[in-house]
Amino acid sequence: MAFFLARRLVQAVLILLGVAAITFLLLYFLPADPAVLIAGRSATPQMVAAIRHELGLDQPLVMQFLRYVGNLLHGDLGRSYTQKTEVLPLILARLPATLVLMAAGIVVEVALGLTFGIIAAVRRGGFIDRSVMMLSFVGVSSPQFVVALLLLYVFAATLGWFPMSGFGTARHVVLPALTLGVLGAGWYARMVRSAMIEVLRQDYVRTAHAKGLSGRRVVLGHALPNALLPIIAMVGIDIGQFMSGVVVVEAVYGWPGIGQLAWQAIQQVDVPIIMGVTLVSALAIVLGNLLADFVAPFVDPRIRSQ
Amino acid sequence: MRVLRELIRRPSALFGLIVVVLVLLAAIFAPWIAHFSPDDQLADGLSLEGAPLPPGGGHLFGTDTLGRDLFARVLFGARTSLIIGLVANGVAVAIGLLVGLLAGYLRGAAGNLLMRFTDLMMAFPALLLAIALAALLKPSLWIVAMVIALVNWVQVARIVYTETRGLVERDFIVAERSLGAGNGRIILLHILPHLMPTAIVWGTLGIATTVLLEATLSFLGIGVQPPQPSWGNIIFESQSYFQDAPWLVFIPGAIILATALSFNLIGDALRDILDPTQRGRL
């Protein structure tokens, strides 16, 4: 098992290196010249050349890439074109707000997804199952920004239960978290349902029923722990979907996290910030996958013995 | 024909088919259906106070903040969304098929490299990668389609890879090879036909993802650029008025939802029909 985990760790590092290579190439083949963007409109050709030299843009591709990776390892994600500061501190300052939002969203998603996924699997083919499947389709087909605006319209503008936008109190987090969580819950319920169906038809579940255990104990105590494994394995994809959703949701609700930072950067074509947020998100996904690999042996003893 | 009959027998798939056909007709016949041009800022398109007109009266969906007929914009927006949906997803499925098939068939170093690259692409959040790409390039209809294709092929490649791996091991492929068939013949005549159900299912499900991604990119201001209407940028242009003129946001929003839902329902039904072993899963 230690060997397996070590291999996963190496793979994660390689993937991160690949992620850096892709963002680097995107920047390298950028039609706009970063030196021109940084220098501003009134710059002379000499000033642009000086900046280009300072950034190392006049060096060969490989040298530039090594320098880029070296900078990343030092936490240097480049400088924002518009804010004239380092990108990393900008992202770090915004990160806590995003983490709060994601945590709240994940709570909603997992609570709804687990509950309805389990019910749907147990009562397969029944009314609840069909409703859950249908609603989950509506969930994955819903444009997040429209749902966000709809919740604002109904619960903030019309009913006045929640503030329109901003950050600070618990009431501010409700609508953004619901937008992220409810839409994700449909997808999540499907995952839980299919994992549970797989487990529920195994012999040991039948044995547990035959022993006379209550349905609740069989489902929650015997079946669910084994169904958790495929669900945990999805955590990387889950984080990815959340990171994408965060941009839209933070833009609509004026939530001061990295999604809003990216959104503002889009409006100003501030490429280093966009790239920085992309890199941080990719890092989160890779770490999420790694975490799933490390948690799996604790959930399932069969993996431990391998 | 059998597939179509089976689709019609399922209420959810039938609903999907009806909506898709309606949207398709709206897109094709937009100039003949609409009474107004989508770009005309009508003299009587705003109230005396300068506010957009609510739905009803002379304007089925009302007018937008510039006094343009919303119904006309939505109709022409259907063209944008469908073109992007079909083109972007078509390209994505083609890339996914190619990469997945080659990786699964070749295996070895080349196959490994292709799959590692696919894994790498999985590490990016799709929307953020699309945002990064779209922000770097000057967005236009075709650029947006390409950006979406470059982001969306990954899932298809993974599934095609798994299926190809399974197929290559099967006896009929081994038999074919021992009879002296070349790689090209085996891939084109014996593996590709078996991948068609997957391609068709993802060709449908993917359109839903694509329509949503296009709408999201346009909503963020890096998709199709106004004045060319797309369902996403109609909402983008009027989002700050959603309290006073909710129809400007929620009519196109409902249409995006209905369209994406319909493609998802059809795709899901197709998966059941074309691949009975998958029935009831996911």
Side-chain angles (χ1 to χ4, degrees), chain B residues 87-112:
Chain B
V87 172
N89 193 51
V91 174
V93 170
I95 300 177
L97 262 179
L98 188 72
V99 172
L101 212 165
L102 284 181
Y105 189 81
L106 296 174
R107 288 184 285 182
N112 236 322

Side-chain angles (χ1 to χ4, degrees), chain A residues 80 84 93 96-97 104 110 116 129 157 162-163 217 224 229 233 240 262-263 268:
Chain A
S80 156
K84 306 290 179 202
V110 172
F116 286 103
D129 184 25
F162 300 103
R217 276 196 68 182
L224 185 60
L229 202 62
W263 184 67
Q268 299 159 330

